[in-house]
Amino acid sequence: MELTIRQTKLLRIIIETYAATAIPISSQDVIEKYMPDLSSATIRTEMVALEKKGYLEKTHTSSGRVPSIAGYKFYQQNILEPKINVDIKQKLERVFANRELSIDSIIDQSVEIINQSFKLPMLVSKEDNENLKRFDLIRLEDNNALILIVTSSGHINKNIIEIENETQFNDIAICIRIFNDRLIDTPISQVNQKLLAIKEVIRMVVQEYEFCIRKIVERIFDMKVISKNTKVTGTRYLTTQPEFQDIKKLNEVLDFLEDTNVWKHIAYIHDKTGKTTIAFGDELGNKNVALASTSINLSKNVKHQITLVGPTRMEYDKVQGVLDFIKCELEKMNK
């Protein structure tokens, strides 16, 4: 739905001011701070027009108006201009300049800066679309063995297995030989397809089959552990947001953060566009939530996804600006 130049400017003022203050915007607020050359009646007329088009909503607690999800979407698609705060940019640049830090450490420190700056939680996931390169078995002591899985990026996954007798250790050694024979250079995403056949081979050559399947195969081939590491930081900041003072809404957001289907949906969008993505509550199953997410492709095999989660009242221009900056700088560093 098209807007006039003045309506577009007014919608931008209301969205960006409301994001910063969390206070509904009145016509008087607009005149005093942004459009002093217009009358209060003119601003009210334009506000009513934006409300009829579905971009603003009138609150019950004041005479002001707040953006609707439709208004945020119009803003994101037609008005938003990404920008980055100078102070945040300088802090990030200092982190990027530290050549002693690994990429993972740079991302962790960058996320901490964003957490503190926006007072919102972030979800960081690392997806390794890589191959299995080696399986090693080390006897630690009489009742423990260590299984190491080495991937093509150099990542090492460690699993300590408790054993009750020498037969179980021998069975583990047999499993490791089978894995090295049949799984080396297999993409992690394809391992599950091969496990059924491998289980049948194991059944024929070990003495304690159930032990091998339960303690070794099912445990060390937990693909969520091997291929994707996900963590959430800054959830404490949710309680500082007025939208989540209600304990029910807060719990709904915490549940939302654990919903893997949401992150699969965002990852799918990234794979299609490769750009920073903003998604709103009506697309995600929680109308009180919005998120901004970017995908950082460091190699053909390794990808990080950084997602900031908050209320729909978010400073989208600044959020997208900082995510775009991190994506650009990290991908440039890794070339």
Side-chain angles (χ1 to χ4, degrees):
M1 194 176 295
E2 290 189 5
L3 300 182
T4 66
I5 294 175
R6 186 161 65 191
Q7 288 170 347
T8 301
K9 182 179 179 181
L10 180 59
L11 182 62
R12 178 175 194 159
I13 288 169
I14 291 172
I15 287 177
E16 294 182 359
T17 304
Y18 182 63
T21 65
I23 299 172
I25 312 302
S26 69
S27 58
Q28 198 60 38
D29 295 327
V30 175
I31 291 170
E32 289 177 359
K33 298 175 183 178
Y34 306 102
M35 294 180 167
D37 54 325
L38 298 179
S39 68
S40 181
T42 299
I43 297 299
R44 283 197 299 271
T45 299
E46 295 289 32
M47 281 183 161
V48 169
L50 288 170
E51 188 177 351
K52 287 181 177 178
K53 291 179 179 181
Y55 296 141
L56 294 181
E57 296 175 344
K58 200 171 189 310
T59 65
H60 299 294
T61 55
S62 74
S63 60
R65 287 174 174 80
V66 299
S68 66
I69 289 182
Y72 283 119
K73 287 183 177 180
F74 183 91
Y75 171 83
Q76 184 256 327
Q77 294 167 6
N78 302 284
I79 303 174
L80 186 151
E81 295 177 1
K83 58 186 177 184
I84 183 168
N85 176 280
V86 174
D87 182 54
I88 297 175
K89 183 179 180 182
Q90 290 175 344
K91 288 179 180 177
L92 290 172
E93 286 175 337
R94 285 194 289 271
V95 173
F96 298 155
N98 187 345
R99 298 304 178 187
E100 296 181 2
L101 295 176
S102 67
I103 288 293
D104 286 346
S105 295
I106 289 174
I107 289 175
D108 286 344
Q109 291 190 26
S110 299
V111 164
E112 185 176 351
I113 290 170
I114 298 172
N115 275 148
Q116 294 174 355
S117 300
F118 292 100
K119 297 293 187 286
L120 291 171
M122 295 195 71
L123 182 140
V124 182
S125 64
K126 178 182 178 182
E127 186 170 351
D128 299 330
N129 296 315
E130 52 189 320
N131 299 340
L132 297 174
K133 298 305 292 184
R134 191 174 78 251
F135 295 83
D136 290 327
L137 174 64
I138 301 171
R139 186 71 173 263
L140 298 178
E141 49 193 50
D142 290 343
N143 62 343
N144 281 304
L146 175 65
I147 297 175
L148 302 177
I149 304 175
V150 183
T151 69
S152 54
S153 71
H155 175 74
I156 299 176
N157 185 267
K158 302 175 183 179
N159 290 273
I160 295 177
I161 306 296
E162 293 183 5
I163 54 178
E164 297 177 358
N165 50 56
E166 196 66 23
T167 297
Q168 289 184 348
F169 181 78
N170 291 336
D171 282 350
I172 295 174
I174 291 170
C175 290
I176 296 302
R177 287 199 296 272
I178 293 171
F179 298 154
N180 277 317
D181 287 342
R182 293 175 175 256
L183 290 177
I184 298 307
D185 291 327
T186 298
I188 289 176
S189 60
Q190 297 177 20
V191 168
N192 281 331
Q193 299 173 18
K194 293 190 175 184
L195 285 183
L196 286 177
I198 287 175
K199 286 179 182 180
E200 290 307 308
V201 174
I202 291 173
R203 184 191 296 276
M204 293 186 289
V205 295
V206 300
Q207 295 187 49
E208 295 193 28
Y209 173 74
E210 291 301 327
F211 165 80
C212 291
I213 297 302
R214 188 179 69 257
K215 292 286 188 177
I216 305 172
V217 176
E218 292 181 356
R219 178 172 172 181
I220 73 172
F221 291 109
D222 182 349
M223 293 300 105
K224 292 179 181 178
V225 173
I226 297 176
S227 65
K228 192 164 186 176
N229 302 310
T230 302
K231 60 183 176 181
V232 179
T233 63
T235 52
R236 66 186 184 278
Y237 291 123
L238 285 172
T239 58
T240 69
Q241 302 299 323
E243 290 87 348
F244 303 133
Q245 294 300 310
D246 183 314
I247 190 65
K248 180 181 178 182
K249 289 183 179 179
L250 177 62
N251 286 331
E252 287 175 352
V253 176
L254 294 175
D255 290 341
F256 173 85
L257 290 172
E258 297 178 1
D259 188 348
T260 56
N261 289 325
V262 172
W263 313 120
K264 288 178 182 177
H265 171 70
I266 297 303
Y268 172 73
I269 295 173
H270 282 311
D271 289 341
K272 287 179 65 178
T273 67
K275 298 179 180 179
T276 298
T277 301
I278 294 174
F280 299 94
D282 59 336
E283 305 163 18
L284 305 169
N286 187 323
K287 66 180 181 179
N288 298 311
V289 174
L291 56 82
S293 182
T294 199
S295 184
I296 302 167
N297 297 297
L298 300 177
S299 71
K300 185 168 64 175
N301 293 325
V302 181
K303 178 173 68 177
H304 289 76
Q305 184 174 306
I306 302 177
T307 304
L308 188 144
V309 181
T312 50
R313 180 193 55 81
M314 196 187 297
E315 295 179 292
Y316 295 103
D317 53 345
K318 296 177 183 177
V319 168
Q320 182 165 337
V322 75
L323 292 180
D324 284 347
F325 179 72
I326 289 175
K327 175 181 174 66
C328 177
E329 292 301 308
L330 288 182
E331 292 183 346
K332 190 192 305 179
M333 285 171 55
N334 211 54
K335 286 183 179 178

